[in-house]
Structures are given as structure tokens and as C-alpha cells.
């Protein structure tokens, strides 16, 4: 019998899509409130409107291979995201995946890991242009940095705006499914 995570894997394979997740539901407590932006010279209403826009951003997170370790070979990831080792890992051809998401409404990049002290809050004021422009110009700082505590995840992210997209088509890039059952 399939577990919940394995059943979710079957649904992903059948639909050939990955759904985006709300950034505020991430497991990293440093990120769960969304990107930290400090505002200068804006009214409370302007700040509220900017925060509302920022909250529309959604993401897909993947684990990528590094020279030291394959993405599917990280026990903590199986424990955190695959019902404690009872699940599936979908394997993508990275080149085909990146080609398939070559879309100006999407941002994608490997997450960079830094000490907590290096994760500075980002300042926005009206002199930097519209808030939409600020987000586009600051995507790396806003969405692709995490603390060293999470480096084992080897994360690659795709970011979108929920008004424009809800899922990614993986039809061309899915190449394998790895089943894992910790207790056989």
C-alpha cells in the first residue's frame, strides 16, 4: 500500500506537474515569514500593499546534485520530506528542467547558504523605483539565500507569482522515480 507521500508522487507523475507552495509555509523558521524587507519613507498603507504583493510569491523547491553528494542520497531529506523514509524521489534532467522553465515570469537559482549574520534585511525606498521593479532587481537576495543550517538540502528553487502560475510542467524533464522504504 502506498503511503501518503508515495501517493502524492503518483499524482505528480500522473499530472506531470509540480505545484508551487506558499513561501510562508516553508520549514525554515528564518524564511517562514517571507522575505524581510525594511521600508523607508513609506506610509503604512504603502507598506501593507507591498507586503501583500510580496506574499503572492510562491515556490517549488528541489534538491540538486553537488560534486560531493547526489540529491537523492541525503538521509535527512528522506526523513523530512518522505514520511520518514517511506516515499519517492522524482529525478529530473537538470538541463531539460531549466530549459522548460525558461519563462520571464519565473525566477530560478540554486540557493546560496551563508552565516545568519550575512542575511541582512533588504531596504526599499521609493527612490529605487516601483516595488515590482525592486523585487525583480532583488530576487537573489529575497528568495535564494538561507543560513548554513540548511546547506545539507542542496536546494534549487523556482519562484513565481501566484496570479500568473500555479504549477510547473515536468513532462519533458522527469527521467526517473526512486522508491524508498526504510523498513523494506
Amino acid at each position: 500500500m502506498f503511503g501518503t507521500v508515495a501517493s502524492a508522487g503518483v499524482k505528480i507523475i500522473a499530472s506531470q506537474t509540480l505545484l508551487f507552495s506558499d513561501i510562508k509555509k516553508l520549514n525554515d523558521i528564518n524564511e517562514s515569514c517571507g522575505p524581510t524587507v525594511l521600508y523607508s519613507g513609506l506610509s503604512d498603507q504603502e507598506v501593507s500593499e507591498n507586503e501583500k504583493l510580496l506574499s503572492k510569491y510562491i515556490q517549488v523547491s528541489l534538491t540538486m546534485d553537488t560534486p560531493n553528494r547526489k540529491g537523492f542520497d541525503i538521509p535527512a531529506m528522506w526523513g523530512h520530506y518522505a514520511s520518514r523514509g517511506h516515499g519517492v524521489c522524482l529525478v529530473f534532467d537538470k538541463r531539460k528542467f531549466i530549459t522548460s522553465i525558461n519563462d520571464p515570469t519565473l525566477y530560478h537559482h540554486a540557493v546560496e547558504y551563508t552565516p545568519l549574520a550575512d542575511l541582512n534585511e533588504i531596504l526599499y525606498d521609493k527612490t529605487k523605483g516601483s516595488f515590482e521593479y525592486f523585487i525583480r532587481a532583488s530576487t537573489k537576495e529575497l528568495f535564494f539565500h538561507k543560513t548554513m543550517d540548511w546547506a545539507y538540502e542542496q536546494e534549487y528553487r523556482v519562484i513565481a507569482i501566484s496570479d500568473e502560475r500555479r504549477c510547473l510542467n515536468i513532462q519533458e524533464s522527469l527521467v526517473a522515480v526512486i522508491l524508498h522504504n526504510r523498513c523494506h
Side-chain angles (χ1 to χ4, degrees), residues 128-144:
K128 294 184 178 182
S130 72
F131 194 66
E132 292 87 353
Y133 173 79
F134 167 77
I135 291 173
R136 285 192 305 273
S138 306
T139 56
K140 194 170 180 184
E141 294 81 11
L142 290 168
F143 302 114
F144 299 102

Side-chain angles (χ1 to χ4, degrees), residues 46-80:
E46 289 171 313
V47 169
S48 178
E49 289 170 7
N50 290 346
E51 288 296 312
K52 192 175 187 180
L53 177 61
L54 203 51
S55 73
K56 291 183 177 185
Y57 281 81
I58 51 180
Q59 78 174 43
V60 168
S61 292
L62 302 112
T63 298
M64 62 183 181
D65 293 348
T66 66
N68 300 326
R69 185 165 227 168
K70 297 287 187 188
F72 66 83
D73 189 29
I74 305 170
M77 298 299 281
W78 286 99
H80 293 313

Side-chain angles (χ1 to χ4, degrees), residues 95-178:
R95 185 187 52 75
K96 288 180 181 178
F97 182 81
I98 290 173
T99 299
S100 74
I101 60 173
N102 188 15
D103 178 325
T105 66
L106 298 174
Y107 305 103
H108 57 94
H109 197 277
V111 170
E112 294 179 10
Y113 302 97
T114 60
L116 183 58
D118 290 348
L119 287 178
N120 297 321
E121 295 155 330
I122 302 162
L123 178 65
Y124 169 73
D125 64 57
K126 291 179 185 179
T127 63
K128 294 184 178 182
S130 72
F131 194 66
E132 292 87 353
Y133 173 79
F134 167 77
I135 291 173
R136 285 192 305 273
S138 306
T139 56
K140 194 170 180 184
E141 294 81 11
L142 290 168
F143 302 114
F144 299 102
H145 280 108
K146 292 177 81 165
T147 64
M148 293 298 295
D149 302 321
W150 299 92
Y152 70 89
E153 289 189 340
Q154 302 172 191
E155 187 176 353
Y156 192 91
R157 285 187 180 169
V158 181
I159 304 289
I161 299 175
S162 59
D163 293 350
E164 298 174 1
R165 182 165 312 241
R166 286 287 177 196
C167 62
L168 286 177
N169 184 318
I170 58 169
Q171 181 177 2
E172 300 297 321
S173 58
L174 182 63
V175 294
V177 177
I178 299 172

Side-chain angles (χ1 to χ4, degrees), residues 7 10 146:
S7 294
V10 170
K146 292 177 81 165

